[in-house]
């Protein structure tokens, strides 16, 4: 029996492979894609979240296996308060970068925003217990765990 994560990983790899095989996937150079990425990041940093989101959407459609672009799309969706989409995008980042503990933390934040308290608690506990977690990420996970447990008890 396949888990949802295993199925999602298989679909993600299939989609990424399909995008990589498209003739148009080589139309733009890496340098040109890097310019679009810099524009998207600048828009995100300037608070122009919708503009950044459109740029990152183009980047993930153009190169579906680029985790940097998925990170930007997730961050812009989160900034636009579209937590369902942000959760989906952070999950894709986790599939593309299995050791990305920060993506797991951000997914937990989205779960909390969506009212998925039990899932968020489990996600933050995973981050807290992850042996490779940066101490700052571990501390954030512990703070979120404490906050959610307080709210759950109230």
């Amino acid at each position: 029996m396949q888990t949802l994560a295993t199925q999602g990983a298989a679909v993600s790899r299939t989609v990424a492979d399909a995008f990589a095989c498209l003739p148009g996937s080589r139309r733009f150079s890496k340098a040109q894609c890097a310019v679009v990425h810099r524009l998207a990041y600048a828009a995100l940093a300037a608070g122009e979240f919708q503009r950044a989101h459109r740029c990152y959407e183009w980047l993930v459609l153009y190169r579906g296996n680029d985790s940097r672009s998925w990170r930007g799309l997730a961050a812009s969706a989160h900034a636009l308060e579209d937590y369902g989409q942000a959760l989906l995008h952070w999950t894709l980042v986790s599939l593309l970068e299995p050791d990305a503990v920060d993506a797991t933390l951000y997914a937990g934040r989205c779960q909390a925003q969506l009212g998925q308290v039990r899932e968020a608690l489990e996600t933050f506990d995973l981050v807290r217990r992850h042996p490779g977690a940066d101490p700052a990420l571990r501390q954030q996970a512990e703070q979120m765990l404490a906050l959610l447990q307080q709210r759950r008890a109230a």
Side-chain angles (χ1 to χ4, degrees), residues 43-66:
L44 189 62
E48 298 174 13
F49 305 129
Q50 192 63 47
R51 183 172 166 220
H53 195 74
R54 285 191 307 269
C55 290
Y56 284 120
E57 282 179 325
W58 180 86
L59 286 164
V60 299
L61 285 173
Y62 188 71
R63 293 236 166 90
N65 60 350
D66 178 17

Side-chain angles (χ1 to χ4, degrees), residues 67-68 71 92-103:
S67 64
R68 266 187 357 153
R71 284 176 171 279
L92 284 168
V93 171
S94 294
L95 292 171
L96 292 169
E97 298 177 39
D99 293 326
V101 181
D102 64 322

Side-chain angles (χ1 to χ4, degrees), residues 4-118:
L4 184 58
T6 305
Q7 291 172 346
V11 169
S12 177
R13 282 191 299 274
T14 302
V15 170
D17 291 344
F19 275 120
C21 293
L22 290 173
S25 67
R26 290 164 195 37
R27 189 173 305 149
F28 295 99
S29 70
K30 285 186 179 184
Q32 290 168 322
C33 288
V35 168
V36 175
H37 195 286
R38 283 194 297 273
L39 290 171
Y41 185 80
L44 189 62
E48 298 174 13
F49 305 129
Q50 192 63 47
R51 183 172 166 220
H53 195 74
R54 285 191 307 269
C55 290
Y56 284 120
E57 282 179 325
W58 180 86
L59 286 164
V60 299
L61 285 173
Y62 188 71
R63 293 236 166 90
N65 60 350
D66 178 17
S67 64
R68 266 187 357 153
S69 298
W70 282 108
R71 284 176 171 279
L73 189 61
S76 62
H78 195 123
L80 290 167
E81 299 180 3
D82 189 349
Y83 303 115
Q85 286 298 305
L87 175 58
L88 174 66
H89 303 324
W90 284 121
T91 301
L92 284 168
V93 171
S94 294
L95 292 171
L96 292 169
E97 298 177 39
D99 293 326
V101 181
D102 64 322
T104 304
L105 177 79
Y106 300 140
R109 289 180 181 176
C110 293
Q111 289 168 327
Q113 290 288 345
L114 291 167
Q116 300 172 0
V117 177
R118 184 176 51 81

